[in-house]
Amino acid sequence: MIKGGNLFAGIPAELPEELAETLATGEGLRIERTVSRGHSSPTDFWYDQEQTEWVVLLSGSAVIHFQNGSVQKVMRPGDWLEIPARCRHRVEATAGDDDSVWLAVHWG
């Protein structure tokens, strides 16, 4: 079966919580779309994922903070990161006046 869609379609007008959707899965692989609108990680929360994540920001803006070395990365459309498994990170901020649309691929 062939599936398809548009990464910018179906975004609700009201977005009280970040929207995360799994678009495809396979053996050891997951592809997700996330939409943020002024959302950030909860205080003192760190992502500590078992899989490597490759993520690209398609629209909006974001600030990602990495625990190791307290590095911050400001992201603009087109910027991507490969985040190794177990690399603790958090979303410090996303654009409040625009949709920050992410595409993430998880594997391993």
Side-chain angles (χ1 to χ4, degrees):
M1 175 163 59
I2 297 172
K3 297 180 182 179
N6 184 298
L7 294 171
F8 300 105
I11 299 173
E14 298 294 321
L15 202 60
E17 294 183 9
E18 194 172 63
L19 174 66
E21 300 173 298
T22 298
L23 302 176
T25 59
E27 190 173 324
L29 178 77
R30 184 175 77 256
I31 301 172
E32 296 179 329
R33 173 185 83 158
T34 302
V35 181
S36 308
R37 190 181 300 143
H39 299 98
S40 60
S41 298
T43 304
D44 296 327
F45 171 84
W46 295 94
Y47 288 100
D48 188 3
Q49 301 167 151
E50 293 181 12
Q51 294 183 306
T52 296
E53 177 182 9
W54 181 90
V55 62
V56 61
L57 185 66
L58 302 174
S59 66
S61 64
V63 178
I64 308 296
H65 182 83
F66 293 90
Q67 190 177 37
N68 293 348
S70 296
V71 174
Q72 283 197 359
K73 172 70 175 157
V74 175
M75 297 187 70
R76 303 279 182 233
D79 289 343
W80 62 271
L81 296 169
E82 183 176 314
I83 304 170
R86 308 261 58 121
C87 178
R88 291 172 58 108
H89 62 285
R90 54 181 277 110
V91 178
E92 288 291 326
T94 59
D97 58 349
D98 195 10
D99 291 336
S100 296
V101 178
W102 310 80
L103 182 66
V105 179
H106 301 264
W107 74 90

